[in-house]
Amino acid sequence: MKQQSTTIEAWVIVVVVAAGIMSFAGVVVETAVNISFPTLMREFGVSTSSGPVDDDDLSADHFTDGAALGLPQTAL
């Protein structure tokens, strides 16, 4: 009976380590944002209640409209 090889290729180890590093970095970034969120809200003068008032403000046109971005309007 032939013995099976149990070695792991180097690229598999690199991929697993890279995925672990990326996962850890994601957790660190998310934690940093959660910690700094109250400070950023105070800095920009917004509160958790400042947002769209009704469903009309949530339309796709509201977010893609140039006026919503402060851009000059041009005739189409």
Side-chain angles (χ1 to χ4, degrees), residues 3-68:
Q3 187 177 14
Q4 290 183 334
S5 174
T6 59
T7 59
I8 300 173
E9 295 184 32
W11 68 270
V12 174
I13 295 172
V14 170
V15 168
V16 170
V17 169
I21 291 171
M22 289 173 54
S23 297
F24 179 74
V27 170
V28 169
V29 167
E30 187 174 349
T31 302
V33 168
N34 284 334
I35 291 170
S36 63
F37 193 67
T39 304
L40 291 171
M41 288 176 60
R42 281 192 300 275
E43 183 70 27
F44 289 106
V46 296
S47 68
T48 55
S49 64
S50 57
V53 177
D54 55 17
D55 290 337
D56 291 336
D57 290 340
L58 294 175
S59 68
D61 293 335
H62 174 76
F63 294 108
T64 58
D65 187 18

